[in-house]
Amino acid sequence: MSTYSVESIRNFSIIAHVDHGKSTLADRLLEITGTIAKTDCNKQVLDKLQVERERGITVKAQSASLFYSHEGVNYLLNLIDTPGHVDFSYEVSRSLSACQGVILVVDANEGIQAQTVANFYLAFEAQLAIIPVINKQYVVFKIDLKNADPERVEKQIEKLFDIPVDECIRISAKQGTNVERVLQKVIEKIPPPQFNTTDPLKALVFDSTFDHYRGVIANIALFGGEIQKGHKIVSAHTKKRYEVNEVGILTPNEQPMHKLYAGQVGYLIAGMKEVTEAQIGDTLFMHKQPVEPLPGFKSAKPMVFAGMYPVDHSEYNNLKSALERLTLNDSSVSVHRDSSPALGAGWRLGFLGLLHMEVFNQRLEQEYNMSVILTAPTVPYKAVLSSAKLIKEYGKEEITVINPAQFPDKLSVSEYMEPTVLGTIVTPHKYIGKIIALCQDRRAVQKDMLYIDEHRVMLKYLFPLNEIVLDFYDALKSLSSGYASFDYEDAGYQAADLIKMDILLNGNPVEELATIIHNDKAYATGKFLCERLKDAIPRQLFEIAIQAAIGKKIIARETLKAYRKNVVAKCYGGDITRRMKLLKRQAEGKKLMRKIGNVEVPKDAFIHVLKRQSDK
Ligand SMILES: Nc1nc2c(ncn2[C@@H]2O[C@H](COP(=O)(O)OP(=O)(O)OP(=O)(O)O)[C@@H](O)[C@H]2O)c(=O)[nH]1
Ligand SMILES: [Mg+2]
């Protein structure tokens, strides 16, 4: 590694909208540089996780070091393939901190989409060199995809990003056409890092993974100095001291190296065992040579919270340790202990979005063999307290509510607030009418509307977050035949007329089903939940009233008629053992029931009801 001085290093990320071909382009770059053997089987090789392979999407940024010789000079190129979906944009912004430039990939068929815009601005604001690449373009047959229209996409890029048309490189990542040109552009256009090996060590931890045997593997970018096995280093965040066990580069698997130098990107293992030790955004420095820590990252801001409980309560401790390990690999998940009368002890987890929640759940199942119950997702609301008693209890006036069960009563609150996001929608103009109607139905306020070209429009709307987390994207996709794309960013809180809706069974509230909703949506949601619950609860000896209530006011009601399955009736005659057996079986079934007042509800009924709600 010592032969690669900073002048011969280029650090860059590949960024784009979902599915525009980042990982496929990375495959070709790995092949051209001989990092992996060229075969027909290389399909998104950097997507190593099972969930990534199954879903065909990248969820975790992945680094790879490439060696490439150009005009007689040997270069060390460090590439980071990033995810495209909005839920994982935290991965993108972190990756960019280790780079001096980006390759911005745009699909020649789809053109600029919502995440293209979002990711462009991430790179632009970080003042990185940007190389636009138009993908799915095949020069020999003119086009790779039938509807590819590179000229149009180039014009969009010029109009929106102010990058001259002739700077775009047309490639086919799949066929490898023109990809070598991209590498050359990387060398010409992306500046080498401006760091010195003679400075004291300053290493940014921009990502980390957890290995069962070796503990934390930190991805580091060296902003100064050098590092090798045996060095004593200190974490600026925890002030803890470590001895370096191993350093190396990713090619894309870990390859140990003797030393890493300023400007280089690689990994480090130094006996860190805990989540709190491997703080992403942390600066590592040499013992007794403290440096000014790098600014680090804003911590990931959870957008949705959901309760998580083991399906079988004897699995509690196993789930706890699985959660600890998985959050090491995905530090953007926030974890709080929680408990619920129906589901027992568990956690309340914060995710960056619904896809993130699904992916995390899938990884728990696949990588840790855990099956869990997830409750309905909720967004983090705020309440400004007016009751002196509550202010004293919380120690502050403004509290964040991530569990509807803890929603403070209107009488002790001067104002409720809900989180909002600024959404960007990019769509062919013929769907505009329907999309505007959808946005209005979601209580959104239009902020901007811009034609990217004669057929394509970019809309900006301020949305209440809870109106989009569950199913907005699906609704948008279905009314635009899949052509509209959506991205959003945090836009702070706004005052909102929120209420807590309780669900009652024969007058007793069901804590798990308490929901915080906007006043305007209360009736529809209440009716919906009651209907679902009626389907989910078995009939019992007496009639059951299922009600939705706001405070003392009932806003919806369903009635479940009385009924009892007399299992013993069939056992006429005197076989007492058979009778006993049946009664015993019935009693066991009841163990799986949760009693609310005198009503027995199957444990999974809540989930059933909540899940259906999210499918709505
Ligand atoms: N026809 C054609 N298809 C391509 C080309 N490049 C990528 N694809 C296909 O586009 C799809 C998405 O490619 P990926 O490389 O996974 O896209 P990505 O940008 O990494 O996607 P995310 O990481 O999920 O955001 C795959 O089915 C690829 O085979 C290309 O040049 N031509
Ligand atoms: Mg990918």
Side-chain angles (χ1 to χ4, degrees), residues 353-510:
L354 227 50
L355 178 64
H356 183 212
M357 174 169 132
E358 277 174 31
V359 163
F360 187 86
N361 190 20
Q362 194 175 341
R363 288 187 70 182
L364 266 181
E365 269 172 24
Q366 292 178 337
E367 295 169 36
Y368 297 89
N369 205 11
M370 294 276 47
S371 78
V372 299
I373 294 171
L374 270 173
T375 68
T378 179
V379 303
Y381 292 103
K382 279 187 177 172
V384 183
L385 301 172
S386 61
S387 130
K389 184 168 160 267
L390 279 185
I391 295 174
K392 198 163 164 220
E393 190 180 316
Y394 285 103
K396 54 189 172 192
E397 254 176 49
E398 192 180 288
I399 57 164
T400 304
V401 184
I402 57 172
N403 185 345
Q406 285 143 12
F407 193 65
D409 189 77
K410 204 164 192 156
L411 292 174
S412 40
V413 167
S414 57
E415 191 174 45
Y416 292 117
M417 290 188 290
E418 63 179 344
T420 63
V421 290
L422 184 64
T424 304
I425 300 168
V426 176
T427 174
H429 68 159
K430 66 175 173 185
Y431 303 110
I432 276 200
K434 284 189 197 164
I435 290 177
I436 289 179
L438 174 69
C439 292
Q440 277 166 354
D441 180 51
R442 301 304 175 103
R443 301 191 284 124
V445 181
Q446 198 182 85
K447 293 285 170 193
D448 196 11
M449 180 162 153
L450 172 84
Y451 272 83
I452 303 182
D453 61 26
E454 57 274 32
H455 303 297
R456 209 161 251 284
V457 185
M458 183 163 82
L459 299 158
K460 298 238 180 208
Y461 271 91
L462 190 71
F463 288 92
L465 176 61
N466 84 318
E467 295 286 345
I468 58 148
V469 276
L470 287 185
D471 59 352
F472 179 78
Y473 191 58
D474 294 342
L476 183 71
K477 280 275 166 204
S478 76
L479 65 76
S480 66
S481 312
Y483 285 114
S485 63
F486 181 58
D487 186 278
Y488 58 83
E489 58 189 295
D490 180 23
Y493 277 77
Q494 70 181 15
D497 186 7
L498 301 175
I499 43 174
K500 180 179 158 196
M501 188 176 67
D502 290 309
I503 300 291
L504 312 173
L505 290 181
N506 278 353
N508 298 303
V510 185

Side-chain angles (χ1 to χ4, degrees), residues 22-23 44 47 57-58 81-83:
K22 296 174 287 296
S23 304
Q44 293 99 14
D47 290 346
I57 55 167
T58 305
D81 179 28
T82 64

Side-chain angles (χ1 to χ4, degrees), residues 69-80:
S69 164
H70 177 56
E71 293 177 349
V73 183
N74 291 328
Y75 289 92
L76 167 60
L77 310 177
N78 192 75
L79 159 163
I80 307 181

Side-chain angles (χ1 to χ4, degrees), residues 81-116:
D81 179 28
T82 64
H85 193 282
V86 54
D87 279 19
F88 308 108
S89 65
Y90 189 54
E91 294 280 320
V92 182
S93 58
R94 282 202 328 257
S95 305
L96 295 188
S97 67
C99 295
Q100 286 74 43
V102 296
I103 300 176
L104 176 68
V105 180
V106 188
D107 186 316
N109 183 42
E110 294 197 350
I112 287 183
Q113 296 290 344
Q115 274 90 45
T116 320

